Amino acid sequence: MKIIIVGNGKVGYAIASQLAGEHHDIVMVDDNAVALQRAENALDVMCIEGNGASIRVLKEAGAQSADLVIAVTNLDDTNLLCCFIAKKLGAGHTIARVRSPEYRRDADMLKKEIGLDMVINPDLAAAQEIARIVSTPSAFSVEPFAGGRIDMIGFDVTDQTIVAGRSLSEFSSHTSAKVLFCVAVHGGETVIPNGAFVPQIGDKLYMIGAKGQLQHMLHSLGHSQPKVKAVSILGGSRTAMYLAWELKKRGIEHNVLNAKQHEREAEIVAQAGKQGAVTIATNMAGRGTDIMLGGNVTYMAKATLRKELTRQMNADLEVLKDEYEHAKARAKAQGLPIPPAPDTAYEAKVEMLMTECDGHADTQDADILAARKRFDELVEEYEPEVKREAEAVREAGGLFIIGTERHESRRIDNQLRGRAGRQGDPGASRFFLSLEDDLMRIFGGERVQGLMDTLGLDEDMPIENKLITNTIESAQKKLEASNFAIRKQVLQYDDVMNQQREIIYKQRQMVLDGEDISDKLHEMMKQSIDETCESFLSGETADDWDFAALRRHYLNWLCLPTDFNYTAEQLNDLKREDVAKVLYERGMSILESKEQKYGAPMMRELERICLLRNVDSKWMEHIDNMDQLKQGMSLRGYGQRDPIVEYRIEGFAMFDEMIATIREDAVHMLLTIEVRQQNQEPKREQVAKPTGEGAPAQAGAKGATPVRVTKIGRNDPCPCGSGLKWKKCTCKEYHPDL
């Protein structure tokens, strides 16, 4: 079977790895050359670099005769377009990876219009699997069939399983459930059970049937289904969203928690519904706590309990201090050692009691039990008060929330409005905007200001009109669309860097883990030598090769000034590979001599140091270069070229160049590095020559006589005697830069 996989990410690579051992003709398509090279070396598959949604690339991959095309890139549009083009070219079957919820809802239409055979979604698949496990907790495996109408459930045979030690036919005659026992794992062997099969404790049984029948059969087998009472979903990913949908369809109660907890801020918001309360907050839209009319009983009880505990511990502390002072005085009078001072830090104990006051964990601590008892008493005391205040707030008109600015996102404003619409609250919300507000300033603030100046209205005159409200909401929509486009573009730019970052960090981690990278460096040296020889020895014949440039490149580390001097007869039989082989053998000889000199452990450490230092330095330079490249990419749009595509192409070209530089510089450092032995005395070398009056005279010199240097002006006559001004003279004596 000929299979084309578009997208060499984690999903595409996993699919290729699974199919590689099944003797399929696999072609992988991706625009990441480095990732394709890895897949080609590891999986032995054909790789084609390019955009999977390109007709030219798909034709080159052989989509006309492909049995199956699988598009699993990170972009839904690319996957759908790829499958559409592949179908038009003549591909047999197509499978697209689709993550967007909008596309998922239109899956049937996409299959019909585009010709898709299957739409896969890893996030939805994970959510469905988790939901099935939650629905059937006693089973270790739940697999769907026939569009989810039929399931296969696997369970362990235990001493509680009724069928243990009985034949399946005997058991089936006593139950009305219509299921099929399809597979059994008995004694480590997989068998197809018949009616005479007798399951034993430790076996695994698989049965297939409708959902209701399976649940009934599990109950008949003695596998009771404990109902899951509460499920908390932490996180706001697509998987969490799909999981919430699946649990809702199954009627399982759940709570979605994906916001940070701000305890103090949540307390302020919760108590903002008390009668006569005035709350000033910089942002109370996203705190995750509702405003409770009349106040929040729990927060009120905890606040009172905290005051009582603090007051009680302060009183106890004063008593301890008095006792300590008396004990210290008695010790001094009797000449005895002074007793230790009492612990005055009670804040930690107060926080511990506040945490445990509404808990239910078993404890014998008298302080915790007393705090819990007092907390329950305070809750009962405040509940009637809160009910009365809540009714009074409703009669007074409910909550009135004032917004001093409109957020650029309508969602935040709607959250703020929602504070006044819960619990049957008849309240209202109103926004008061200044003409200097960002939204008004950008969208029509000058026109309104001109109107107010013309009419002579005061600055504090409120203006309320439906047209202004609609204009502000329209401005919010425009800003949301603009921000979305910016974020999307930034993510596309970041995706290029993330792909490169994965490669570099994997290489660094290999070094940091202490792996033996000698073979890796030998391969890097061979690649570097091959690339250099191909660059300098690129002529059609050996007579056209630039041996002088090659000699200068490797001088003093792989070459000598006398190397590469060939006769005409030698050039006729000379090949580029022969030159590269000589250089590689010299490099290996140098490395072997270093290893004999310093020892294998020291050599392995030197290899890691050389590679890590070059990787870090070149990667930091590459990050700066990529930032500079990104700054000028927007100008490519004026030339009718996609900036993202241009950034990706040039970015990976720069990345390949960086990788080549890392290879050569790491090899050069390793071949030329010298280690100072610990027992070797350091040799002092004169770096700077002494100058001035106290400088000693050099050997052979007649005497150190001070020389007075006079500064020569640009328009002064040159001291050389040419008669020209200094700026126009070309003598080397007084113009050393020439």
Side-chain angles (χ1 to χ4, degrees):
M1 181 182 290
K2 184 175 183 179
I3 302 174
I4 300 176
I5 302 174
V6 180
N8 190 28
K10 294 181 179 179
V11 178
Y13 189 84
I15 296 173
S17 302
Q18 188 70 25
L19 298 175
E22 301 181 5
H23 307 292
H24 295 293
D25 183 12
I26 300 175
V27 181
M28 299 197 71
V29 179
D30 201 306
D31 53 5
N32 188 345
V34 178
L36 284 177
Q37 185 66 36
R38 181 195 64 174
E40 189 174 13
N41 297 334
L43 304 177
D44 194 20
V45 298
M46 180 180 177
C47 296
I48 297 177
E49 182 181 0
N51 186 1
S54 169
I55 298 177
R56 178 188 60 80
V57 174
L58 288 176
K59 284 185 176 180
E60 184 180 354
Q64 307 92 315
S65 58
D67 299 300
L68 175 63
V69 176
I70 307 173
V72 288
T73 70
N74 293 325
L75 301 176
D76 294 347
D77 296 337
T78 302
N79 297 335
L80 294 174
L81 183 58
C82 171
C83 292
F84 177 75
I85 296 174
K87 271 291 187 182
K88 293 296 183 182
L89 292 176
H93 302 280
T94 57
I95 299 175
R97 175 190 182 186
V98 177
R99 303 183 64 188
S100 173
E102 289 76 12
Y103 284 148
R104 281 295 310 174
R105 288 192 289 267
D106 301 333
D108 294 334
M109 185 187 70
L110 290 173
K111 292 179 181 179
K112 180 180 179 182
E113 298 294 332
I114 300 180
L116 286 172
D117 296 282
M118 183 181 295
V119 177
I120 60 174
N121 187 332
D123 301 324
L124 178 59
Q128 289 175 341
E129 182 66 20
I130 297 172
R132 284 192 293 268
I133 294 173
V134 172
S135 303
T136 314
S138 64
F140 64 80
S141 176
V142 185
E143 302 293 337
F145 298 96
R149 294 185 296 272
I150 298 175
D151 286 343
M152 182 179 72
I153 292 181
F155 62 95
D156 294 312
V157 180
T158 65
D159 55 353
Q160 303 295 327
T161 308
I162 298 177
V163 76
R166 302 171 59 184
S167 65
L168 294 180
S169 59
E170 180 185 354
F171 171 76
S172 300
S173 62
H174 294 86
T175 180
S176 60
K178 303 299 182 183
V179 299
L180 175 65
F181 291 94
C182 52
V183 179
V185 179
H186 179 72
E189 298 181 358
T190 303
V191 298
I192 307 298
N194 53 21
F197 179 77
V198 180
Q200 302 296 328
I201 297 175
D203 292 353
K204 297 181 182 295
L205 276 180
Y206 295 84
M207 56 185 183
I208 190 170
K211 294 182 178 181
Q213 297 292 329
L214 289 175
Q215 297 293 336
H216 183 64
M217 177 60 77
L218 283 174
H219 182 74
S220 301
L221 289 168
H223 287 259
S224 59
Q225 295 294 300
K227 186 178 180 181
V228 179
K229 297 180 180 179
V231 179
S232 296
I233 306 171
L234 308 180
S237 62
R238 284 192 176 95
T239 303
M241 180 184 63
Y242 285 127
L243 179 56
W245 291 351
E246 292 295 325
L247 294 178
K248 185 178 179 180
K249 288 194 299 183
R250 286 168 167 79
I252 300 175
E253 297 182 2
H254 61 280
N255 298 309
V256 180
L257 178 63
N258 53 20
K260 294 181 179 180
Q261 303 299 314
H262 304 276
E263 183 177 354
R264 178 57 185 158
E265 296 171 357
E267 181 179 353
I268 293 173
V269 174
Q271 298 296 89
K274 291 182 66 67
Q275 186 178 8
V278 177
T279 304
I280 302 174
T282 57
N283 180 16
M284 52 183 296
R287 301 306 179 195
T289 304
D290 287 340
I291 299 175
M292 307 297 293
L293 297 184
N296 190 295
V297 176
T298 301
Y299 284 110
M300 293 171 65
K302 283 190 174 184
T304 304
L305 181 60
R306 181 183 293 274
K307 292 179 181 179
E308 292 181 356
L309 290 174
T310 304
R311 185 167 54 250
Q312 180 183 347
M313 290 195 178
N314 282 331
D316 295 342
L317 185 61
E318 292 297 328
V319 174
L320 290 176
K321 288 182 178 179
D322 291 340
E323 293 178 354
Y324 172 72
E325 293 297 332
H326 286 89
K328 186 170 67 172
R330 287 193 301 269
K332 288 183 178 180
Q334 299 175 6
L336 300 175
I338 298 176
D343 187 10
T344 59
Y346 62 88
E347 291 84 0
K349 186 175 182 180
V350 172
E351 293 299 329
M352 184 271 294
L353 293 176
M354 294 303 303
T355 303
E356 297 289 341
C357 68
D358 57 346
H360 302 282
D362 294 336
T363 181
Q364 301 297 326
D365 193 314
D367 294 335
I368 295 178
L369 295 175
R372 290 179 179 177
K373 182 180 179 181
R374 180 55 182 162
F375 174 76
D376 294 337
E377 294 174 354
L378 290 172
V379 169
E380 294 180 1
E381 180 181 342
Y382 282 121
E383 281 183 348
E385 178 183 348
V386 169
K387 290 181 180 180
R388 290 194 300 270
E389 286 202 18
E391 189 62 32
V393 171
R394 292 189 182 93
E395 292 177 358
L399 296 176
F400 189 81
I401 298 179
I402 301 174
T404 58
E405 62 180 354
R406 292 290 289 271
H407 199 274
E408 63 181 28
S409 175
R410 290 169 296 163
R411 176 180 62 86
I412 303 299
D413 287 347
N414 291 333
Q415 287 180 347
L416 185 59
R417 290 192 186 100
R419 303 294 185 190
R422 298 184 176 101
Q423 314 162 60
D425 178 31
S429 61
R430 178 172 296 185
F431 291 86
F432 289 83
L433 275 69
S434 169
L435 293 177
E436 297 178 357
D437 186 89
D438 289 341
L439 287 172
M440 296 296 295
R441 179 176 53 82
I442 298 174
F443 301 95
E446 295 180 357
R447 296 193 300 269
V448 180
Q449 183 66 53
L451 179 62
M452 293 184 65
D453 294 340
T454 302
L455 298 177
L457 301 177
D458 296 333
E459 293 184 356
D460 57 350
M461 175 67 71
I463 301 176
E464 185 174 359
N465 190 278
K466 188 175 182 180
L467 178 63
I468 297 177
T469 302
N470 294 335
T471 302
I472 294 172
E473 291 184 355
S474 177
Q476 288 175 316
K477 293 180 181 178
K478 294 178 181 177
L479 282 175
E480 289 173 355
S482 176
N483 293 336
F484 175 78
I486 294 173
R487 289 193 298 269
K488 183 178 180 181
Q489 190 177 36
V490 170
L491 290 174
Q492 289 176 335
Y493 279 112
D494 291 343
D495 185 59
V496 177
M497 285 299 300
N498 288 335
Q499 295 177 8
Q500 300 178 4
R501 192 176 290 108
E502 288 179 1
I503 299 172
I504 289 296
Y505 284 8
K506 183 179 180 180
Q507 195 170 39
R508 289 188 77 256
Q509 193 62 42
M510 180 180 63
V511 178
L512 294 174
D513 291 340
E515 298 182 11
D516 188 353
I517 58 172
S518 56
D519 294 338
K520 179 79 173 175
L521 279 170
H522 298 165
E523 181 65 25
M524 292 170 64
M525 182 172 63
K526 187 177 185 306
Q527 292 179 2
S528 177
I529 292 174
D530 291 340
E531 292 175 358
T532 305
C533 291
E534 187 177 355
S535 175
F536 292 123
L537 312 179
S538 59
E540 295 181 358
T541 62
D543 295 332
D544 300 329
W545 293 354
D546 194 353
F547 286 106
L550 181 64
R551 190 183 304 111
R552 288 193 301 269
H553 186 80
Y554 286 120
L555 190 62
N556 296 328
W557 59 295
L558 282 180
C559 287
L560 297 174
T562 57
D563 287 335
F564 305 133
N565 293 319
Y566 299 101
T567 62
E569 291 79 8
Q570 291 173 333
L571 289 176
N572 292 331
D573 299 331
L574 188 64
K575 297 180 180 179
R576 185 187 304 114
E577 292 79 8
D578 299 334
V579 179
K581 184 179 180 181
V582 171
L583 293 172
Y584 178 73
E585 291 176 352
R586 288 184 182 180
M588 291 299 298
S589 176
I590 295 173
L591 293 178
E592 291 174 0
S593 63
K594 285 181 178 290
E595 186 164 349
Q596 293 177 0
K597 180 180 180 182
Y598 301 129
M602 176 62 74
M603 199 62 189
R604 300 291 84 79
E605 185 64 25
L606 288 176
E607 292 170 350
R608 286 190 286 269
I609 291 174
C610 293
L611 183 57
L612 188 62
R613 181 170 296 180
N614 282 277
V615 168
D616 290 348
S617 61
K618 300 298 187 297
W619 175 244
M620 288 187 291
E621 294 177 3
H622 180 72
I623 292 175
D624 295 337
N625 295 334
M626 293 293 288
D627 289 338
Q628 295 176 7
L629 178 65
K630 187 194 306 185
Q631 292 175 3
M633 274 296 133
S634 59
L635 300 176
R636 303 293 179 91
Y638 292 104
Q640 305 299 318
R641 303 171 73 177
D642 191 348
I644 301 296
V645 176
E646 294 293 314
Y647 179 75
R648 185 181 292 111
I649 295 174
E650 295 192 18
F652 277 107
M654 293 168 57
F655 183 76
D656 292 339
E657 184 178 353
M658 180 197 67
I659 294 295
T661 306
I662 290 175
R663 283 199 299 263
E664 182 165 350
D665 289 357
V667 172
H668 179 266
M669 181 181 292
L670 184 62
L671 293 175
T672 57
I673 194 171
E674 294 292 338
V675 181
R676 177 179 293 177
Q677 304 295 331
Q678 294 182 357
N679 57 356
Q680 182 180 352
E681 296 182 1
K683 297 181 179 180
R684 297 185 179 182
E685 298 179 356
Q686 185 176 350
V687 179
K689 297 181 179 180
T691 58
E693 297 180 357
Q698 297 181 359
K702 294 181 178 181
T705 56
V707 178
R708 181 172 294 177
V709 180
T710 305
K711 184 177 180 182
I712 305 174
R714 288 175 52 83
N715 294 317
D716 294 340
C718 186
C720 69
S722 64
L724 300 174
K725 294 182 179 180
W726 180 86
K727 64 181 181 182
K728 293 186 177 182
C729 187
T730 58
C731 67
K732 294 188 180 294
E733 182 179 2
Y734 294 97
H735 298 79
D737 296 335
L738 296 178

PDB file of all heavy atoms in Angstrom, residues 132-150:
ATOM      1  N   ARG A 132     -15.340   7.511  28.693  1.00  0.00           N
ATOM      2  CA  ARG A 132     -15.760   6.109  28.744  1.00  0.00           C
ATOM      3  C   ARG A 132     -15.246   5.430  30.010  1.00  0.00           C
ATOM      4  O   ARG A 132     -15.945   4.633  30.626  1.00  0.00           O
ATOM      5  CB  ARG A 132     -15.265   5.358  27.501  1.00  0.00           C
ATOM      6  CG  ARG A 132     -16.051   5.656  26.250  1.00  0.00           C
ATOM      7  CD  ARG A 132     -15.709   4.680  25.141  1.00  0.00           C
ATOM      8  NE  ARG A 132     -14.343   4.863  24.686  1.00  0.00           N
ATOM      9  CZ  ARG A 132     -13.993   5.650  23.681  1.00  0.00           C
ATOM     10  NH1 ARG A 132     -14.917   6.351  23.040  1.00  0.00           N
ATOM     11  NH2 ARG A 132     -12.727   5.755  23.321  1.00  0.00           N
ATOM     12  N   ILE A 133     -14.030   5.744  30.397  1.00  0.00           N
ATOM     13  CA  ILE A 133     -13.480   5.167  31.623  1.00  0.00           C
ATOM     14  C   ILE A 133     -14.248   5.652  32.844  1.00  0.00           C
ATOM     15  O   ILE A 133     -14.543   4.880  33.763  1.00  0.00           O
ATOM     16  CB  ILE A 133     -11.987   5.509  31.737  1.00  0.00           C
ATOM     17  CG1 ILE A 133     -11.211   4.822  30.603  1.00  0.00           C
ATOM     18  CG2 ILE A 133     -11.428   5.090  33.081  1.00  0.00           C
ATOM     19  CD1 ILE A 133      -9.771   5.215  30.528  1.00  0.00           C
ATOM     20  N   VAL A 134     -14.597   6.948  32.856  1.00  0.00           N
ATOM     21  CA  VAL A 134     -15.375   7.492  33.969  1.00  0.00           C
ATOM     22  C   VAL A 134     -16.752   6.845  34.020  1.00  0.00           C
ATOM     23  O   VAL A 134     -17.277   6.548  35.089  1.00  0.00           O
ATOM     24  CB  VAL A 134     -15.494   9.020  33.838  1.00  0.00           C
ATOM     25  CG1 VAL A 134     -16.458   9.577  34.875  1.00  0.00           C
ATOM     26  CG2 VAL A 134     -14.129   9.673  34.006  1.00  0.00           C
ATOM     27  N   SER A 135     -17.343   6.585  32.861  1.00  0.00           N
ATOM     28  CA  SER A 135     -18.669   5.972  32.811  1.00  0.00           C
ATOM     29  C   SER A 135     -18.632   4.520  33.254  1.00  0.00           C
ATOM     30  O   SER A 135     -19.603   4.012  33.806  1.00  0.00           O
ATOM     31  CB  SER A 135     -19.239   6.070  31.395  1.00  0.00           C
ATOM     32  OG  SER A 135     -19.296   7.411  30.947  1.00  0.00           O
ATOM     33  N   THR A 136     -17.510   3.821  33.041  1.00  0.00           N
ATOM     34  CA  THR A 136     -17.384   2.409  33.395  1.00  0.00           C
ATOM     35  C   THR A 136     -16.116   2.207  34.205  1.00  0.00           C
ATOM     36  O   THR A 136     -15.098   1.720  33.702  1.00  0.00           O
ATOM     37  CB  THR A 136     -17.362   1.526  32.138  1.00  0.00           C
ATOM     38  OG1 THR A 136     -18.393   1.931  31.237  1.00  0.00           O
ATOM     39  CG2 THR A 136     -17.560   0.068  32.485  1.00  0.00           C
ATOM     40  N   PRO A 137     -16.105   2.589  35.476  1.00  0.00           N
ATOM     41  CA  PRO A 137     -14.866   2.556  36.254  1.00  0.00           C
ATOM     42  C   PRO A 137     -14.339   1.161  36.547  1.00  0.00           C
ATOM     43  O   PRO A 137     -13.157   0.994  36.790  1.00  0.00           O
ATOM     44  CB  PRO A 137     -15.244   3.288  37.553  1.00  0.00           C
ATOM     45  CG  PRO A 137     -16.722   3.182  37.633  1.00  0.00           C
ATOM     46  CD  PRO A 137     -17.242   3.136  36.241  1.00  0.00           C
ATOM     47  N   SER A 138     -15.162   0.120  36.547  1.00  0.00           N
ATOM     48  CA  SER A 138     -14.694  -1.222  36.871  1.00  0.00           C
ATOM     49  C   SER A 138     -14.000  -1.894  35.705  1.00  0.00           C
ATOM     50  O   SER A 138     -13.364  -2.930  35.886  1.00  0.00           O
ATOM     51  CB  SER A 138     -15.863  -2.091  37.343  1.00  0.00           C
ATOM     52  OG  SER A 138     -16.795  -2.267  36.291  1.00  0.00           O
ATOM     53  N   ALA A 139     -14.096  -1.381  34.519  1.00  0.00           N
ATOM     54  CA  ALA A 139     -13.450  -1.961  33.353  1.00  0.00           C
ATOM     55  C   ALA A 139     -12.067  -1.352  33.173  1.00  0.00           C
ATOM     56  O   ALA A 139     -11.832  -0.201  33.505  1.00  0.00           O
ATOM     57  CB  ALA A 139     -14.300  -1.742  32.106  1.00  0.00           C
ATOM     58  N   PHE A 140     -11.121  -2.159  32.638  1.00  0.00           N
ATOM     59  CA  PHE A 140      -9.796  -1.630  32.372  1.00  0.00           C
ATOM     60  C   PHE A 140      -9.649  -1.189  30.918  1.00  0.00           C
ATOM     61  O   PHE A 140      -8.656  -0.566  30.556  1.00  0.00           O
ATOM     62  CB  PHE A 140      -8.711  -2.661  32.705  1.00  0.00           C
ATOM     63  CG  PHE A 140      -8.740  -3.902  31.871  1.00  0.00           C
ATOM     64  CD1 PHE A 140      -8.212  -3.922  30.597  1.00  0.00           C
ATOM     65  CD2 PHE A 140      -9.274  -5.066  32.377  1.00  0.00           C
ATOM     66  CE1 PHE A 140      -8.230  -5.073  29.837  1.00  0.00           C
ATOM     67  CE2 PHE A 140      -9.291  -6.221  31.618  1.00  0.00           C
ATOM     68  CZ  PHE A 140      -8.772  -6.224  30.338  1.00  0.00           C
ATOM     69  N   SER A 141     -10.622  -1.483  30.069  1.00  0.00           N
ATOM     70  CA  SER A 141     -10.552  -1.092  28.672  1.00  0.00           C
ATOM     71  C   SER A 141     -11.955  -0.920  28.124  1.00  0.00           C
ATOM     72  O   SER A 141     -12.824  -1.757  28.351  1.00  0.00           O
ATOM     73  CB  SER A 141      -9.794  -2.132  27.844  1.00  0.00           C
ATOM     74  OG  SER A 141      -9.808  -1.783  26.460  1.00  0.00           O
ATOM     75  N   VAL A 142     -12.197   0.181  27.427  1.00  0.00           N
ATOM     76  CA  VAL A 142     -13.472   0.436  26.765  1.00  0.00           C
ATOM     77  C   VAL A 142     -13.167   0.935  25.355  1.00  0.00           C
ATOM     78  O   VAL A 142     -12.550   1.985  25.186  1.00  0.00           O
ATOM     79  CB  VAL A 142     -14.320   1.477  27.521  1.00  0.00           C
ATOM     80  CG1 VAL A 142     -15.680   1.619  26.847  1.00  0.00           C
ATOM     81  CG2 VAL A 142     -14.485   1.094  28.979  1.00  0.00           C
ATOM     82  N   GLU A 143     -13.574   0.195  24.330  1.00  0.00           N
ATOM     83  CA  GLU A 143     -13.319   0.547  22.948  1.00  0.00           C
ATOM     84  C   GLU A 143     -14.639   0.704  22.197  1.00  0.00           C
ATOM     85  O   GLU A 143     -15.519  -0.153  22.312  1.00  0.00           O
ATOM     86  CB  GLU A 143     -12.463  -0.527  22.257  1.00  0.00           C
ATOM     87  CG  GLU A 143     -11.129  -0.782  22.922  1.00  0.00           C
ATOM     88  CD  GLU A 143     -10.201   0.396  22.820  1.00  0.00           C
ATOM     89  OE1 GLU A 143     -10.382   1.210  21.928  1.00  0.00           O
ATOM     90  OE2 GLU A 143      -9.284   0.507  23.620  1.00  0.00           O
ATOM     91  N   PRO A 144     -14.829   1.782  21.433  1.00  0.00           N
ATOM     92  CA  PRO A 144     -16.088   2.001  20.711  1.00  0.00           C
ATOM     93  C   PRO A 144     -16.069   1.374  19.324  1.00  0.00           C
ATOM     94  O   PRO A 144     -15.028   1.269  18.678  1.00  0.00           O
ATOM     95  CB  PRO A 144     -16.153   3.526  20.625  1.00  0.00           C
ATOM     96  CG  PRO A 144     -14.718   3.943  20.521  1.00  0.00           C
ATOM     97  CD  PRO A 144     -13.913   2.933  21.327  1.00  0.00           C
ATOM     98  N   PHE A 145     -17.241   0.948  18.865  1.00  0.00           N
ATOM     99  CA  PHE A 145     -17.427   0.422  17.531  1.00  0.00           C
ATOM    100  C   PHE A 145     -18.746   0.940  16.977  1.00  0.00           C
ATOM    101  O   PHE A 145     -19.625   1.372  17.728  1.00  0.00           O
ATOM    102  CB  PHE A 145     -17.429  -1.119  17.521  1.00  0.00           C
ATOM    103  CG  PHE A 145     -16.142  -1.736  17.975  1.00  0.00           C
ATOM    104  CD1 PHE A 145     -15.991  -2.135  19.288  1.00  0.00           C
ATOM    105  CD2 PHE A 145     -15.086  -1.886  17.109  1.00  0.00           C
ATOM    106  CE1 PHE A 145     -14.807  -2.705  19.718  1.00  0.00           C
ATOM    107  CE2 PHE A 145     -13.896  -2.455  17.537  1.00  0.00           C
ATOM    108  CZ  PHE A 145     -13.755  -2.854  18.837  1.00  0.00           C
ATOM    109  N   ALA A 146     -18.847   0.855  15.642  1.00  0.00           N
ATOM    110  CA  ALA A 146     -20.095   1.218  14.957  1.00  0.00           C
ATOM    111  C   ALA A 146     -20.553   2.612  15.328  1.00  0.00           C
ATOM    112  O   ALA A 146     -21.711   2.846  15.677  1.00  0.00           O
ATOM    113  CB  ALA A 146     -21.185   0.187  15.261  1.00  0.00           C
ATOM    114  N   GLY A 147     -19.595   3.569  15.260  1.00  0.00           N
ATOM    115  CA  GLY A 147     -19.971   4.945  15.542  1.00  0.00           C
ATOM    116  C   GLY A 147     -20.320   5.203  16.990  1.00  0.00           C
ATOM    117  O   GLY A 147     -21.028   6.165  17.302  1.00  0.00           O
ATOM    118  N   GLY A 148     -19.825   4.367  17.905  1.00  0.00           N
ATOM    119  CA  GLY A 148     -20.114   4.571  19.318  1.00  0.00           C
ATOM    120  C   GLY A 148     -21.350   3.867  19.814  1.00  0.00           C
ATOM    121  O   GLY A 148     -21.645   3.915  21.022  1.00  0.00           O
ATOM    122  N   ARG A 149     -22.093   3.175  18.930  1.00  0.00           N
ATOM    123  CA  ARG A 149     -23.322   2.484  19.344  1.00  0.00           C
ATOM    124  C   ARG A 149     -23.012   1.154  20.039  1.00  0.00           C
ATOM    125  O   ARG A 149     -23.814   0.646  20.807  1.00  0.00           O
ATOM    126  CB  ARG A 149     -24.232   2.256  18.143  1.00  0.00           C
ATOM    127  CG  ARG A 149     -24.779   3.542  17.535  1.00  0.00           C
ATOM    128  CD  ARG A 149     -25.769   3.242  16.424  1.00  0.00           C
ATOM    129  NE  ARG A 149     -25.145   2.566  15.314  1.00  0.00           N
ATOM    130  CZ  ARG A 149     -24.564   3.194  14.294  1.00  0.00           C
ATOM    131  NH1 ARG A 149     -24.537   4.513  14.265  1.00  0.00           N
ATOM    132  NH2 ARG A 149     -24.004   2.507  13.304  1.00  0.00           N
ATOM    133  N   ILE A 150     -21.856   0.577  19.752  1.00  0.00           N
ATOM    134  CA  ILE A 150     -21.440  -0.691  20.339  1.00  0.00           C
ATOM    135  C   ILE A 150     -20.074  -0.498  20.981  1.00  0.00           C
ATOM    136  O   ILE A 150     -19.196   0.151  20.413  1.00  0.00           O
ATOM    137  CB  ILE A 150     -21.396  -1.816  19.280  1.00  0.00           C
ATOM    138  CG1 ILE A 150     -22.798  -2.049  18.703  1.00  0.00           C
ATOM    139  CG2 ILE A 150     -20.852  -3.112  19.872  1.00  0.00           C
ATOM    140  CD1 ILE A 150     -22.822  -3.057  17.581  1.00  0.00           C
TER     141      ILE A 150
END
